[in-house]
C-alpha cells in the first residue's frame, strides 16, 4: 500500500490508484495518516474535520465515512481501535514518512559525500507533488498539517540547494531560487542562497537587489530586520570580498524586532506550587525535545492554573528575549464565547505587529504566523482553552519558541508535551494564602479557625482569595463568623463571590460546556452530574451510578470519565470516582432542580443496589446469596446489575471501601422515610454478617442495627427490628459484655417468635453462646442441646453445626475433653460434608484447644496446619489470630521458642488488620491470654 499526502490525497496499491472520491472521506484518511499504526480518537477526528463547531451528528457521520473507506481499502487496513480508529500500516507506507527518512539520510552525508546527499535529496523531492492535502478544502486537518508538511519540504529544498552550492552548481540553481523567493518572500535562507548563487555567477548587483527586496518585505510586513547571516553576506558582497561567508546549515537569529510582552502582571500573593514550578522548569530547560517545548496545565476551575503559569512566565521571562504572547481563549469565562482557531491566530499575529489579517486564506495566515516566529525565542501562553481545536494552528513549530496551554479538561497535545495537573493547595499553603490576602496577623491570631476556613474553601485558591478579600474588607468580623457563614452548605457558594468574581459561575462554565457539546456522551455527563448531587456519598463507581440514573453501566462509565475530563470529578483508582468538595455543592444545587420525587427514587435505587451487591459478597464467601442455611436464596435485588466478586478477599476489600457510602445512604433514606428501606436493611444485615464477624467491625454493625430498629419500630417491621436487636446483642457478646448481650437477644426473640424461622434459631444459638459466659455451664449445655434438636427438626444444618461446636467447647470447659473431641469430630465431619468452611474452622480451633488442655501439644500442631489453611480461605484475621495464639502456646511448651514467638507475632499482625477502635479491645483480650499462657513473651 502507498498512501500519499504530499499533494492531493491518494491511495495506491500495486501501481493502481484506489479512488477516494469524497473530500471528507479523504480528510478522515488524512487525519489517520498523521499517525499511522496508532489509534486516533473520535474526538480528534471530529476536531480535525469540523473544528470547534461540529454538527450534532458528527460521530455518526465519521462512522459512515469510515464504513465507506473500508469498502475501498483492503481488509484489516482500517481498524476500530479504542478510542477511535487506526490505520494498520507501517509508517513507511506514507510518502511523508519516506520523504523525512530520505532527507535525514541525505543530511548525514552533506559534508562527507555531497554528491550522494544530492541524489538522496532529489529522491525525496520527487515525492513532492504540490501543495499537501490540496484536495481537502479548508478543513482543519489541512490547515493544521499542510504548513508542517510544507515546512518539511522547504527545509529539505533549502538543504538541497546548500549541497548544490557546495558542488559549484550556482548558475543552474538561480532560476529555481528566483521563483522560490517570489513565492516565499520572507524565507531568509532561500534569499541567502539566491544571493550567493548570483554573486558567484558574477551578478553581484542582482544579489544586492535581492537583499533590498527581502529587507523591505521583512521590515514592512513583519517588523523585523534581516538576520545576522544575511547582514554579513551583504557586507561581503558590497565590499567586493573574493568569497562570501561560508554557508551554514541552520538559520541564525533574525535582526531586531518589536518585543511583545502581554503577560498579565504577577500576583504579589502567590504562594506554594513549588513542585509544579520545578516540573515546569525541568521541562522547559531540557534540550532533547526535538521541537518546541509545550506544556498543558489542567485542573478544576479556581485551582490557580493561570496564576501558576503567570508566575512561571515572569520568573523565566529572560529566557524568551523576543517576547511573551498571551491570549485568553475564553474557556473559563461565564456567558462569553470562546475564540476559534482563526481568531486565536489573528490575535497572535496582531501581537506580533501584523495588524488585521485577512481570514479568507487560512493557510496564508498560518504561514505568516510561522514566518514571524522563525528564529525567535518567544513564549506563547494560551490561557483557558476549552477545546483542542482552538490550538490547532497556534502551537509553534519553531524549536526556539515554547508554549503553555491552560485548560480545565486534559487536552491531548503534540508528542512529548508535558501534562501537569494542578489541584487544590496543601493545608499549609491554603492558610498562608489567606494570610497573604487578609493579613498574617489575623490568621496567626486565629490559626485553628483559619485552618477550618481553608477547609471549607476546599483549599481552592480562587475560593480562598474571595473569602480572604471579603475578610480584609470587614476587619471587625472574627474569622469564626466566616466559618459560621460557610459552614451552611446551602449558602456557601453564595458567600464565595465578590462583585467581579463568582465561584459558582466559574464552576458552571464546565457544566455548560458539556451541555453545549454535540457529543451525546458529554450531554450524558451533564445529566449525570445532577443525579450524583441527589446523594451525599463520598465515592461512585459506574455500576452504582448507573443504578441511580437507569443507564447501562458502560454508558454511565463514559459519562463519568467525561466528568473527570471536565474536572468535575476526580478518579482515586480505576473505576472509582469522587467529587471535589465545593463542586459537590453545585451538584446538590443542580439536583435541587429535579422533580421532588427524584431524591426519594435515587435513595431507594442506591440502597437497593448496595443490598444486591452485599448479597454478591455473600456468594463469594459462602457460595450462596443468602447466609448459609437461610431458606430464602432468591430476592429481586439479585436481578440488578451490581458486582461479582472473585473471592472473599475481593469482597472484603469492596466492603472496606463502600461502608463509608452505605451507612450515610441508609441514614439518609431512613430520615427521608423512603419506603422499602427496612426490607433492604434486613438484606444488608444478613449479607454482611460474615464481614462483621470476620473483622469485628462493631461500630458499623451497631449503626446499621440502630437504623433497622428505628425503621422497624416506625413501620411495624418486626423482622427488621428483631434483626437489629440481635445484631447489637452479637456486638456486645463479642465485646464480652454478656449481660447486655443476653438482654438484647431476649428482646430480639420476642419479635422473632416463629421457631421455624432461621432468624429465631440463629438468636437462640447466640443465646446459647452467651449462656456459657453469663450462667452455669449446665444451663448452657441444655440450651445448646435444645438448639441442636430444633435445628434438626426445622432443617437448619449450619445452625446445628454451630450449636454442636459450642457444645464441644462447653464440654472442654467442663473438663470432659474426650466427650468434647467426639462432638467436635462429628462437627468436622458434618462441616466437610457440607463444604462449610466456617464450621470446619471453628471445629479445628476448638480441637486445638481441647488437645492443649490434655497436654497433647503435638496434636495441637498437627491440627494447626489444616486450621490455618481453612482460615486463609476464609480470610478471617480474628479466627486466624485465635488459632495462632493456641499454636504459639503449644510450641512454647514443646520447647520450640523461636517458632512459638513467630506464631505469636503473626497473631498480632492479623489483629492489626482489624479496625483501630475494635483492635484496642481485642488487644486487651489477647493480653489477658498472654498473662496466663505466654508470660515470657510480654506485651507488644
Amino acid at each position: 500500500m502507498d498512501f500519499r499526502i504530499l499533494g492531493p490525497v491518494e491511495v495506491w496499491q500495486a501501481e493502481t490508484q484506489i479512488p477516494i472520491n469524497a473530500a471528507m472521506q479523504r480528510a478522515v484518511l488524512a487525519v489517520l495518516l498523521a499517525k499511522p499504526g496508532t489509534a486516533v480518537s473520535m474526538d480528534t477526528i471530529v476536531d480535525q474535520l469540523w473544528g470547534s463547531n461540529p454538527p450534532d451528528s458528527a460521530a455518526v457521520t465519521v462512522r459512515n465515512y469510515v464504513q465507506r473507506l473500508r469498502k475501498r481499502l483492503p481488509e484489516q487496513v482500517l481498524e476500530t481501535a479504542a478510542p477511535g480508529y487506526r490505520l494498520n500500516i507501517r509508517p513507511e507506507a506514507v510518502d511523508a514518512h519516506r520523504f523525512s527518512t530520505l532527507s535525514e539520510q541525505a543530511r548525514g552525508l552533506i559534508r562527507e559525500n555531497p554528491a550522494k546527499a544530492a541524489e538522496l535529496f532529489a529522491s525525496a523531492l520527487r515525492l513532492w507533488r504540490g501543495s499537501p492535502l490540496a484536495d481537502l478544502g479548508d478543513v482543519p486537518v489541512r490547515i493544521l498539517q499542510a504548513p508542517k508538511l510544507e515546512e518539511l519540504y522547504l527545509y529539505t529544498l533549502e538543504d538541497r540547494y546548500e549541497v548544490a552550492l557546495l558542488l559549484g552548481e550556482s548558475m543552474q540553481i538561480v532560476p529555481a531560487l528566483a521563483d522560490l523567493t517570489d513565492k516565499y518572500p520572507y524565507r531568509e535562507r532561500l534569499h541567502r542562497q539566491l544571493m550567493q548563487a548570483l554573486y558567484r555567477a558574477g551578478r553581484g548587483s542582482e544579489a544586492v537587489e535581492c537583499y533590498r527586496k527581502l529587507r523591505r518585505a521583512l521590515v514592512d510586513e513583519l517588523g523585523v530586520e534581516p538576520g545576522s547571516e544575511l547582514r554579513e553576506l551583504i557586507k561581503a558582497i558590497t565590499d567586493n570580498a573574493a568569497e562570501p561567508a561560508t554557508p551554514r546549515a541552520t538559520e541564525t537569529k533574525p535582526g531586531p524586532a518589536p518585543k511583545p510582552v502581554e503577560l498579565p502582571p504577577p500576583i504579589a500573593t502567590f504562594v506554594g506550587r513549588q513542585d509544579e514550578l520545578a516540573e515546569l522548569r525541568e521541562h522547559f530547560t531540557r534540550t532533547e525535545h526535538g521541537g518546541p517545548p509545550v506544556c498543558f496545565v489542567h485542573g478544576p476551575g479556581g485551582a490557580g492554573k493561570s496564576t501558576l503559569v503567570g508566575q512561571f512566565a515572569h520568573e523565566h521571562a529572560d529566557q524568551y528575549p523576543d517576547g511573551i504572547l498571551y491570549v485568553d481563549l475564553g474557556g473559563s469565562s461565564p456567558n462569553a464565547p470562546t475564540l476559534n482557531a482563526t481568531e486565536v491566530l489573528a490575535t497572535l499575529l496582531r501581537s506580533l505587529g501584523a495588524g488585521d489579517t485577512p481570514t479568507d486564506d487560512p493557510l496564508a495566515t498560518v504561514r505568516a504566523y510561522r514566518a514571524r516566529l522563525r528564529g525567535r525565542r518567544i513564549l506563547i501562553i494560551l490561557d483557558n482553552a476549552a477545546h483542542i481545536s482552538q490550538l490547532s494552528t497556534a502551537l509553534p513549530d519553531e524549536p526556539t519558541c515554547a508554549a503553555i496551554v491552560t485548560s480545565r479538561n486534559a487536552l491531548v497535545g503534540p508528542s512529548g508535551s508535558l501534562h501537569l495537573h494542578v489541584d487544590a493547595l496543601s493545608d499549609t499553603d491554603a492558610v498562608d494564602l489567606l494570610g497573604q490576602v487578609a493579613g498574617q496577623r489575623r490568621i496567626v491570631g486565629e490559626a485553628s479557625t483559619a485552618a477550618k476556613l481553608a477547609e471549607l474553601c476546599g483549599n481552592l485558591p480562587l475560593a480562598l482569595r474571595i473569602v480572604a478579600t471579603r475578610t480584609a474588607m470587614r476587619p471587625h468580623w472574627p474569622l469564626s463568623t466566616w466559618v459560621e457563614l460557610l459552614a451552611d452548605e446551602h449558602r456557601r457558594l453564595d458567600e464565595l463571590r465578590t462583585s467581579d468574581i463568582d465561584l459558582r459561575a466559574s464552576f458552571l462554565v464546565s457544566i455548560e460546556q458539556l451541555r453545549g457539546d454535540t457529543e451525546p456522551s458529554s450531554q450524558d455527563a451533564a445529566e449525570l452530574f445532577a443525579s450524583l448531587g441527589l446523594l451525599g456519598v463520598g465515592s461512585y463507581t459506574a455500576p452504582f451510578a448507573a443504578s441511580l440514573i437507569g443507564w447501562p453501566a458502560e454508558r454511565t462509565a463514559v459519562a463519568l470519565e467525561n466528568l473527570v475530563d471536565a474536572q468535575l470529578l476526580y478518579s482515586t483508582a480505576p473505576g472509582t470516582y469522587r467529587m471535589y468538595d465545593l463542586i459537590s455543592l453545585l451538584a446538590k444545587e443542580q439536583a435541587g432542580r429535579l422533580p421532588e420525587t427524584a431524591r426519594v427514587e435515587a435513595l431507594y435505587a442506591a440502597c437497593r443496589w448496595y443490598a444486591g451487591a452485599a448479597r454478591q459478597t455473600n456468594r463469594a464467601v459462602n457460595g450462596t446469596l443468602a447466609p448459609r442455611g437461610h431458606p430464602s436464596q432468591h430476592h429481586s435485588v439479585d436481578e440488578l446489575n451490581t458486582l461479582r466478586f472473585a473471592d472473599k478477599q475481593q469482597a472484603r476489600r469492596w466492603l472496606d471501601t463502600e461502608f463509608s457510602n452505605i451507612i450515610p445512604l441508609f441514614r439518609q433514606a431512613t430520615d427521608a422515610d423512603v419506603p422499602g428501606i427496612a426490607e433492604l436493611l434486613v438484606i444488608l444485615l444478613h449479607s454482611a454478617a460474615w464481614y462483621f464477624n470476620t473483622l469485628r467491625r462493631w461500630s458499623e454493625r451497631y449503626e446499621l442495627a440502630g437504623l433497622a430498629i428505628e425503621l422497624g419500630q416506625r413501620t411495624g417491621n418486626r423482622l427488621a427490628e428483631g434483626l437489629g436487636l440481635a445484631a447489637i446483642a452479637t456486638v456486645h457478646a463479642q465485646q464480652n459484655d454478656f449481660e447486655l448481650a443476653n438482654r438484647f437477644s431476649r428482646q430480639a426473640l420476642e419479635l422473632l417468635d416463629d421457631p421455624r424461622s432461621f432468624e429465631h434459631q440463629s438468636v437462640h444459638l447466640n443465646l446459647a453462646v452467651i449462656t456459657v459466659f453469663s450462667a452455669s455451664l449446665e444451663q448452657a449445655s441444655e440450651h445448646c442441646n435444645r438448639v441442636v434438636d430444633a435445628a434438626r427438626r426445622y432443617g437448619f444444618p449450619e445452625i446445628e453445626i454451630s450449636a454442636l461446636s459450642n457444645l464441644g467447647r462447653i464440654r472442654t470447659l467442663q473438663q470432659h475433653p474426650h466427650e468434647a473431641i467426639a462432638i467436635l469430630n462429628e462437627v468436622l465431619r458434618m462441616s466437610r460434608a457440607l463444604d462449610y468452611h466456617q464450621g470446619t474452622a471453628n471445629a479445628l480451633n476448638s480441637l486445638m484447644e481441647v488437645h492443649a488442655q490434655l497436654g497433647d501439644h503435638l496434636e495441637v500442631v498437627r491440627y494447626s496446619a489444616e486450621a490455618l489453611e481453612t482460615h486463609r480461605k476464609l480470610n478471617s484475621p480474628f479466627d486466624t489470630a485465635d488459632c495462632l495464639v493456641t499454636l504459639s502456646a503449644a510450641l512454647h511448651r514443646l520447647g520450640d521458642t523461636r517458632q512459638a514467638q513467630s506464631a505469636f507475632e503473626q497473631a498480632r499482625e492479623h489483629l492489626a488488620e482489624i479496625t483501630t477502635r475494635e483492635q484496642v479491645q481485642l488487644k486487651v483480650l489477647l493480653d489477658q491470654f498472654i498473662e496466663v499462657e505466654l508470660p515470657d513473651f510480654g506485651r507488644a
Side-chain angles (χ1 to χ4, degrees), residues 49 180 319 421 554 865 887 937:
L49 293 188
L180 286 168
Q319 295 179 19
H421 179 75
E554 295 79 7
L887 173 62
F937 289 0

Side-chain angles (χ1 to χ4, degrees), residues 104-175:
E104 288 304 314
Q105 291 173 353
R107 289 185 186 99
L109 296 171
I110 288 177
R111 295 300 174 187
E112 64 183 58
N113 191 346
K116 181 63 176 176
E119 291 178 15
L120 290 171
F121 277 129
S123 296
L125 292 167
R126 279 195 292 273
L127 296 173
W128 186 263
R129 295 174 293 112
S131 181
L133 310 175
D135 55 346
L136 301 187
D138 289 335
V139 291
V141 63
R142 178 171 176 250
I143 296 168
L144 175 64
Q145 297 295 339
K148 295 179 182 179
L149 294 171
E150 196 171 74
E151 182 65 28
L152 175 68
Y153 164 69
L154 288 171
Y155 185 43
T156 298
L157 199 61
E158 289 167 343
D159 281 346
R160 168 66 184 91
Y161 289 128
E162 211 71 69
V163 171
L165 289 169
L166 286 173
L167 294 173
E169 300 173 353
S170 300
M171 288 291 292
Q172 295 94 315
I173 62 176
V174 165

Side-chain angles (χ1 to χ4, degrees), residues 4 82 159 215 263 271 279 311 374 513 676 687 697 709:
R4 303 177 182 179
D159 281 346
R215 184 179 182 278
L263 192 65
V271 299
E279 196 165 354
Q311 181 73 16
R374 192 168 296 120
Q513 286 174 351
S687 300
R697 297 292 289 262
I709 293 168

Side-chain angles (χ1 to χ4, degrees), residues 453 456-458 460 462-468 470 482 485-486 491-498 501-507 582 585:
L453 187 58
L456 290 169
C457 291
L460 200 67
L462 181 59
L464 291 164
R465 290 186 184 280
I466 291 172
V467 77
R470 296 190 65 196
W482 292 104
L485 288 172
L486 267 62
R491 60 182 296 179
R492 191 180 307 170
L493 291 179
D494 292 331
E495 296 294 341
L496 291 174
R497 64 182 178 185
T498 64
I501 304 174
D502 187 336
L503 187 67
R504 178 191 284 108
S506 176
F507 290 161
L582 292 175
L585 302 181

Side-chain angles (χ1 to χ4, degrees), residues 343-355:
E343 292 166 332
V344 172
L345 210 57
T347 303
L348 289 168
L349 276 168
R350 282 195 295 272
S351 299
L352 289 165

